[in-house]
Amino acid sequence: MTRRETAHPRTVADLDSGQLPMVRAEKVRKHFGPLEVLKGVDLEVERGEVVCLIGPSGSGKSTFLRCINHLETVDGGRIWVDGQVVGYQRRGRKLLELGDREICRQRTEIGMVFQHFNLFPHMTVLQNLIEAPLRALREPRDEATARALALLEQVGLADKAGAYPRHLSGGQQQRVAIARALCMRPKLMLFDEPTSALDPELVGDVLTVMRELAESGMTMIVVTHEMGFAREVADRVVFFDAGQAVEVGPAQQVITDPRHARTKAFLAAVR
């Protein structure tokens, strides 16, 4: 039996031995007014696994990703990251939403890279990278700086530490955003269409950094329209449609030989 086929339900002993998945979502629902965006999504992501979420715009992929780090609150179901319920704590038989400080603490362990880079324009690249470790993790400045410089080297931007975001290309800014997320030493990385805002010639460098991150063993969930990347790097692909995870399976199988008619129609249109 492979790790993808582990029997359920898992027990407390599994949690103690590190066998619980990194992410577990059960019957997750989300509404925006009368519009139901997520309709009972179930998904597990194992430790060290790379999962790509594909599907048409408006299908709920990005909303689901934002629910994982409580940027969006769920209206039903639950999400666990590393065995902890995201955004809530149990008191007796009730689950109560955490306060802002506790939610921020949970988010320090979940890195997120958005479509638009969200760098602080008035700060240099190095300052962007060390701001959160200094404030949220209370790291010594020399330790935070050393890690930031090492990560800039890793993403191929060692010479840009003193530059401001406006002096960088879109692809360079996105690589800085990835390095900034990694500065927090996350156990999970979320990517929300990280190349969709880039000119085509700038996409390759960002995908290379993401490939290297996947090869390092980082657990990653990636919302993407890059089918080549999903086929090459992902362990599994999840096809979303109309707020549901319609098809889940090995990347090669879902992309080259999908089982569901809706998946087939979508892939035929984007190829």
Side-chain angles (χ1 to χ4, degrees), residues 20 23 56 104 106 112 197 219:
L20 281 175
V23 178
C104 287
Q106 283 190 336
M112 187 158 184
T219 308

Side-chain angles (χ1 to χ4, degrees), residues 64 80-82 133 177 228 232:
F64 178 68
W80 290 260
V81 172
D82 199 19
E232 175 188 349

Side-chain angles (χ1 to χ4, degrees), residues 120 122-123 125-138 141 144 180 183-184:
F120 298 118
H122 62 290
M123 293 183 178
V125 165
L126 180 59
Q127 289 169 335
N128 266 278
L129 265 63
I130 67 174
E131 179 72 7
L134 292 178
R135 291 182 177 271
L137 301 182
R138 304 294 184 185
R141 182 173 291 272
R180 181 176 64 176
C183 273
M184 296 294 286

